[in-house]
Protein backbone atom coordinates (compact mmCIF):
# COMPACT_ATOMS: atom_id res chain seq x y z
CA UNK A 1 0.00 0.00 0.00
CA UNK A 2 2.85 2.35 0.85
CA UNK A 3 4.59 1.55 -2.41
CA UNK A 4 1.44 2.61 -4.30
CA UNK A 5 1.28 5.90 -2.42
CA UNK A 6 4.92 6.70 -3.02
CA UNK A 7 5.18 5.88 -6.70
CA UNK A 8 3.39 8.88 -8.18
CA UNK A 9 4.92 11.36 -5.73
CA UNK A 10 8.59 10.59 -5.80
CA UNK A 11 9.51 14.06 -7.04
CA UNK A 12 9.21 16.04 -3.80
CA UNK A 13 9.14 15.02 -0.18
CA UNK A 14 6.68 17.77 0.85
CA UNK A 15 3.87 16.35 -1.24
CA UNK A 16 4.89 12.89 -0.06
CA UNK A 17 4.36 13.82 3.58
CA UNK A 18 0.77 14.79 2.92
CA UNK A 19 0.03 11.22 1.87
CA UNK A 20 1.54 9.55 4.95
CA UNK A 21 -1.30 7.78 6.75
CA UNK A 22 -0.44 8.70 10.38
CA UNK A 23 0.56 12.04 11.83
CA UNK A 24 4.13 11.95 13.08
CA UNK A 25 5.14 9.24 10.61
CA UNK A 26 8.57 9.35 9.03
CA UNK A 27 10.48 7.53 6.32
CA UNK A 28 13.82 5.76 6.65
CA UNK A 29 16.09 3.90 4.28
CA UNK A 30 15.55 0.17 4.64
CA UNK A 31 19.27 -0.68 4.38
CA UNK A 32 20.62 1.36 7.31
CA UNK A 33 17.75 3.28 8.93
CA UNK A 34 18.82 6.74 7.74
CA UNK A 35 15.87 9.14 8.01
CA UNK A 36 14.82 10.53 4.65
CA UNK A 37 14.56 14.31 4.96
CA UNK A 38 13.30 16.78 2.40
CA UNK A 39 16.83 17.66 1.29
CA UNK A 40 17.93 14.04 1.19
CA UNK A 41 14.99 12.72 -0.78
CA UNK A 42 15.86 14.03 -4.29
CA UNK A 43 19.21 12.24 -4.20
CA UNK A 44 17.73 8.78 -3.60
CA UNK A 45 18.14 6.21 -6.39
CA UNK A 46 14.96 5.11 -8.17
CA UNK A 47 15.00 1.65 -6.58
CA UNK A 48 15.63 2.79 -2.99
CA UNK A 49 13.64 0.79 -0.43
CA UNK A 50 11.93 2.87 2.25
CA UNK A 51 10.38 1.96 5.59
CA UNK A 52 7.42 3.86 7.00
CA UNK A 53 7.68 4.35 10.77
CA UNK A 54 4.98 5.63 13.09
CA UNK A 55 5.79 7.85 16.05
CA UNK A 56 8.02 6.05 18.56
CA UNK A 57 9.14 3.29 16.16
CA UNK A 58 12.81 2.80 15.27
CA UNK A 59 14.60 1.06 12.43
CA UNK A 60 18.30 0.16 12.29
CA UNK A 61 18.32 -1.27 8.82
CA UNK A 62 19.42 -4.85 8.28
CA UNK A 63 20.14 -5.16 12.01
CA UNK A 64 16.44 -4.68 12.78
CA UNK A 65 15.46 -7.16 10.09
CA UNK A 66 17.84 -9.79 11.48
CA UNK A 67 16.54 -9.14 14.99
CA UNK A 68 12.95 -9.70 13.86
CA UNK A 69 14.06 -12.83 12.03
CA UNK A 70 15.78 -14.23 15.11
CA UNK A 71 12.79 -13.47 17.34
CA UNK A 72 10.77 -15.93 15.27
CA UNK A 73 12.89 -18.79 16.61
CA UNK A 74 12.43 -18.22 20.32
CA UNK A 75 9.82 -20.94 19.87
CA UNK A 76 9.86 -23.23 16.87
CA UNK A 77 7.04 -22.36 14.45
CA UNK A 78 5.57 -25.09 12.29
CA UNK A 79 4.99 -22.70 9.38
CA UNK A 80 8.62 -21.57 9.32
CA UNK A 81 9.88 -25.17 9.48
CA UNK A 82 7.63 -26.28 6.63
CA UNK A 83 8.59 -23.27 4.46
CA UNK A 84 12.31 -23.96 5.02
CA UNK A 85 11.84 -27.62 4.09
CA UNK A 86 10.08 -26.70 0.86
CA UNK A 87 12.82 -24.25 -0.07
CA UNK A 88 15.52 -26.79 0.71
CA UNK A 89 13.89 -29.51 -1.39
CA UNK A 90 14.28 -27.45 -4.57
CA UNK A 91 17.52 -25.63 -3.73
CA UNK A 92 20.68 -26.43 -5.70
CA UNK A 93 23.11 -23.69 -4.64
CA UNK A 94 25.49 -25.19 -2.00
CA UNK A 95 25.63 -22.07 0.18
CA UNK A 96 21.85 -21.67 0.29
CA UNK A 97 21.49 -25.39 0.97
CA UNK A 98 23.87 -25.04 3.91
CA UNK A 99 22.01 -22.02 5.33
CA UNK A 100 18.61 -23.68 5.00
CA UNK A 101 19.88 -26.97 6.47
CA UNK A 102 21.39 -25.11 9.45
CA UNK A 103 18.13 -23.21 9.91
CA UNK A 104 16.12 -26.44 9.94
CA UNK A 105 18.64 -28.03 12.30
CA UNK A 106 18.18 -25.11 14.72
CA UNK A 107 14.39 -24.82 14.69
CA UNK A 108 13.68 -28.56 14.70
CA UNK A 109 15.29 -29.12 18.09
CA UNK A 110 13.57 -30.87 20.97
CA UNK A 111 15.40 -29.04 23.74
CA UNK A 112 12.80 -29.31 26.49
CA UNK A 113 12.49 -33.09 26.21
CA UNK A 114 14.53 -34.91 28.84
CA UNK A 115 13.65 -38.62 28.87
CA UNK A 116 14.13 -41.39 26.34
CA UNK A 117 10.36 -41.66 25.97
CA UNK A 118 10.06 -37.94 25.13
CA UNK A 119 12.86 -37.88 22.52
CA UNK A 120 13.80 -41.40 21.29
CA UNK A 121 16.00 -40.20 18.35
CA UNK A 122 18.30 -38.36 20.78
CA UNK A 123 19.25 -41.65 22.49
CA UNK A 124 19.97 -43.53 19.27
CA UNK A 125 23.22 -45.50 19.67
CA UNK A 126 23.35 -45.14 23.47
CA UNK A 127 23.09 -47.97 25.97
CA UNK A 128 19.61 -48.62 27.37
CA UNK A 129 20.79 -47.76 30.90
CA UNK A 130 20.71 -44.06 29.97
CA UNK A 131 17.12 -42.99 30.60
CA UNK A 132 17.49 -39.20 30.49
CA UNK A 133 19.68 -36.63 28.75
CA UNK A 134 21.13 -35.05 31.88
CA UNK A 135 22.19 -38.46 33.16
CA UNK A 136 24.07 -39.26 29.97
CA UNK A 137 25.81 -35.88 29.83
CA UNK A 138 26.84 -36.18 33.49
CA UNK A 139 28.34 -39.56 32.62
CA UNK A 140 30.12 -37.98 29.63
CA UNK A 141 31.74 -35.34 31.83
CA UNK A 142 32.63 -37.86 34.54
CA UNK A 143 34.35 -40.01 31.91
CA UNK A 144 36.57 -37.13 30.88
CA UNK A 145 37.55 -36.38 34.47
CA UNK A 146 38.23 -40.07 35.15
CA UNK A 147 40.54 -40.17 32.11
CA UNK A 148 42.55 -37.29 33.61
CA UNK A 149 42.78 -39.22 36.87
CA UNK A 150 44.13 -42.27 35.06
CA UNK A 151 46.81 -40.14 33.40
CA UNK A 152 47.88 -38.68 36.74
CA UNK A 153 47.95 -42.16 38.31
CA UNK A 154 50.14 -43.63 35.55
CA UNK A 155 52.87 -41.07 36.28
CA UNK A 156 53.62 -42.66 39.65
CA UNK A 157 55.61 -45.43 37.93
CA UNK A 158 58.58 -43.19 37.20
CA UNK A 159 59.10 -42.22 40.85
CA UNK A 160 61.28 -43.87 43.44
CA UNK A 161 59.71 -46.02 46.16
CA UNK A 162 59.50 -43.33 48.85
CA UNK A 163 58.24 -40.60 46.51
CA UNK A 164 55.81 -43.02 44.91
CA UNK A 165 54.26 -43.82 48.27
CA UNK A 166 53.65 -40.12 48.97
CA UNK A 167 52.41 -39.56 45.40
CA UNK A 168 49.86 -42.37 45.79
CA UNK A 169 48.77 -41.01 49.18
CA UNK A 170 48.06 -37.62 47.58
CA UNK A 171 46.35 -39.31 44.66
CA UNK A 172 44.13 -41.16 47.13
CA UNK A 173 43.08 -37.86 48.71
CA UNK A 174 42.23 -36.51 45.26
CA UNK A 175 40.20 -39.65 44.47
CA UNK A 176 38.21 -39.23 47.64
CA UNK A 177 37.48 -35.59 46.79
CA UNK A 178 36.44 -36.52 43.25
CA UNK A 179 34.11 -39.25 44.48
CA UNK A 180 32.41 -36.86 46.87
CA UNK A 181 32.02 -34.38 43.98
CA UNK A 182 30.75 -37.17 41.68
CA UNK A 183 33.70 -36.52 39.38
CA UNK A 184 32.38 -33.01 38.66
CA UNK A 185 29.77 -34.44 36.30
CA UNK A 186 27.55 -31.46 37.17
CA UNK A 187 29.57 -29.36 34.69
CA UNK A 188 27.50 -30.86 31.83
CA UNK A 189 24.23 -31.29 33.74
CA UNK A 190 21.66 -28.58 32.97
CA UNK A 191 19.71 -29.63 36.05
CA UNK A 192 22.60 -28.84 38.41
CA UNK A 193 22.89 -25.65 40.46
CA UNK A 194 23.92 -22.58 38.47
CA UNK A 195 27.36 -22.33 40.06
CA UNK A 196 28.26 -25.95 39.37
CA UNK A 197 27.33 -26.24 35.66
CA UNK A 198 28.91 -24.80 32.53
CA UNK A 199 25.64 -24.37 30.63
CA UNK A 200 22.38 -22.47 30.88
CA UNK A 201 19.28 -24.01 32.44
CA UNK A 202 18.17 -24.94 28.89
CA UNK A 203 21.48 -26.70 28.17
CA UNK A 204 23.30 -24.14 26.01
CA UNK A 205 27.11 -24.21 26.24
CA UNK A 206 29.30 -21.35 25.04
CA UNK A 207 32.91 -21.77 24.03
CA UNK A 208 35.19 -20.10 26.58
CA UNK A 209 37.88 -19.42 23.98
CA UNK A 210 41.50 -20.58 23.64
CA UNK A 211 43.66 -20.91 26.76
CA UNK A 212 45.40 -17.58 26.04
CA UNK A 213 42.25 -15.50 25.40
CA UNK A 214 39.47 -14.31 27.69
CA UNK A 215 36.64 -15.28 25.32
CA UNK A 216 35.76 -16.94 22.03
CA UNK A 217 35.99 -14.56 19.09
CA UNK A 218 33.78 -16.84 16.96
CA UNK A 219 31.03 -17.05 19.61
CA UNK A 220 30.77 -20.84 19.28
CA UNK A 221 27.77 -22.31 21.08
CA UNK A 222 25.99 -25.65 21.16
CA UNK A 223 23.12 -27.38 22.92
CA UNK A 224 23.82 -31.12 23.16
CA UNK A 225 20.37 -31.59 24.72
CA UNK A 226 18.65 -30.49 21.50
CA UNK A 227 19.11 -33.43 19.11
CA UNK A 228 21.35 -36.41 18.41
CA UNK A 229 23.62 -34.55 15.99
CA UNK A 230 24.37 -31.84 18.56
CA UNK A 231 25.02 -34.51 21.19
CA UNK A 232 27.57 -36.18 18.92
CA UNK A 233 29.22 -32.88 17.93
CA UNK A 234 29.52 -31.88 21.59
CA UNK A 235 31.85 -34.84 22.13
CA UNK A 236 34.43 -33.00 19.98
CA UNK A 237 34.48 -30.03 22.37
CA UNK A 238 37.38 -30.12 24.83
CA UNK A 239 37.89 -29.46 28.51
CA UNK A 240 41.26 -27.84 27.97
CA UNK A 241 43.76 -27.36 30.80
CA UNK A 242 44.99 -23.74 30.81
CA UNK A 243 48.12 -24.79 32.71
CA UNK A 244 48.92 -28.04 30.92
CA UNK A 245 48.33 -31.34 32.67
CA UNK A 246 51.10 -33.53 31.19
CA UNK A 247 53.72 -30.89 30.50
CA UNK A 248 53.41 -28.86 33.69
CA UNK A 249 51.01 -29.89 36.48
CA UNK A 250 51.96 -33.56 36.91
CA UNK A 251 55.75 -32.97 36.63
CA UNK A 252 55.48 -30.08 39.11
CA UNK A 253 53.56 -32.30 41.55
CA UNK A 254 56.14 -35.09 41.24
CA UNK A 255 59.01 -32.64 41.75
CA UNK A 256 57.29 -31.07 44.76
CA UNK A 257 56.98 -34.50 46.41
CA UNK A 258 60.62 -35.34 45.75
CA UNK A 259 61.85 -32.02 47.13
CA UNK A 260 59.37 -31.36 49.91
CA UNK A 261 61.97 -31.69 52.67
CA UNK A 262 59.46 -31.80 55.51
CA UNK A 263 57.04 -29.40 53.86
CA UNK A 264 53.47 -30.47 53.06
CA UNK A 265 52.44 -30.47 49.40
CA UNK A 266 49.20 -28.56 48.87
CA UNK A 267 47.38 -31.33 47.01
CA UNK A 268 44.15 -29.32 46.93
CA UNK A 269 45.85 -26.75 44.71
CA UNK A 270 46.94 -29.46 42.29
CA UNK A 271 43.48 -31.00 42.47
CA UNK A 272 41.93 -27.70 41.38
CA UNK A 273 44.33 -27.46 38.43
CA UNK A 274 43.75 -31.03 37.29
CA UNK A 275 40.02 -31.53 37.76
CA UNK A 276 38.09 -28.28 38.20
CA UNK A 277 36.96 -25.30 36.17
CA UNK A 278 39.57 -23.19 37.96
CA UNK A 279 42.00 -24.46 35.30
CA UNK A 280 39.67 -26.09 32.74
CA UNK A 281 38.10 -24.24 29.82
CA UNK A 282 35.32 -25.71 27.67
CA UNK A 283 36.32 -25.00 24.08
CA UNK A 284 35.12 -25.72 20.57
CA UNK A 285 37.57 -27.92 18.70
CA UNK A 286 38.62 -24.96 16.52
CA UNK A 287 39.59 -23.01 19.65
CA UNK A 288 41.62 -25.87 21.14
CA UNK A 289 45.21 -24.78 20.52
CA UNK A 290 47.66 -27.67 20.48
CA UNK A 291 50.70 -25.45 21.03
CA UNK A 292 52.72 -25.46 24.25
CA UNK A 293 50.99 -23.15 26.71
CA UNK A 294 54.20 -22.12 28.49
CA UNK A 295 52.39 -21.46 31.78
CA UNK A 296 53.71 -22.51 35.18
CA UNK A 297 52.11 -23.49 38.47
CA UNK A 298 52.03 -20.81 41.13
CA UNK A 299 55.21 -21.42 43.21
CA UNK A 300 53.53 -19.84 46.23
CA UNK A 301 50.80 -22.50 46.27
CA UNK A 302 52.81 -25.70 45.79
CA UNK A 303 53.35 -26.21 49.53
CA UNK A 304 51.03 -25.42 52.40
CA UNK A 305 52.06 -22.41 54.40
CA UNK A 306 53.76 -23.31 57.66
CA UNK A 307 51.91 -22.13 60.75
CA UNK A 308 54.28 -20.44 63.13
CA UNK A 309 53.91 -21.55 66.77
CA UNK A 310 52.54 -18.82 68.99
CA UNK A 311 55.07 -17.28 71.33
CA UNK A 312 54.21 -17.60 74.95
CA UNK A 313 54.12 -14.39 76.86
CA UNK A 314 56.42 -14.31 79.85
CA UNK A 315 54.55 -14.82 83.11
CA UNK A 316 54.07 -11.65 85.12
CA UNK A 317 55.58 -11.59 88.55
CA UNK A 318 53.12 -11.23 91.34
CA UNK A 319 53.55 -7.91 93.08
Amino acid sequence: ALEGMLQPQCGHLKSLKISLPVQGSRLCLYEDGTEVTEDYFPGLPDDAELVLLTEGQTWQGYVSDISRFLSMFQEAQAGVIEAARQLLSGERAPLRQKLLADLLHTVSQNIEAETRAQDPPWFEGLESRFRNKSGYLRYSCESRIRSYLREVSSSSRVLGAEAREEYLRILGAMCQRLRSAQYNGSYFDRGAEAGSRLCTREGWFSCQGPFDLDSCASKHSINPYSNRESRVLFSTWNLDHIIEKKRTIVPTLAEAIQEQGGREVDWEYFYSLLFTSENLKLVHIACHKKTTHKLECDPGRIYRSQKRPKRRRPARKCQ
Side-chain angles (χ1 to χ4, degrees), residues 1-13 15-16 19 41:
L2 177 60
E3 187 178 351
M5 286 190 293
L6 298 184
Q7 197 109 34
Q9 304 190 52
C10 56
H12 199 274
L13 188 57
S15 59
L16 177 67
S19 299
F41 185 73

Side-chain angles (χ1 to χ4, degrees), residues 190-202:
R190 66 179 176 180
E193 294 295 325
S196 61
R197 52 181 158 86
L198 300 178
C199 61
T200 67
R201 178 62 71 183
E202 296 77 22

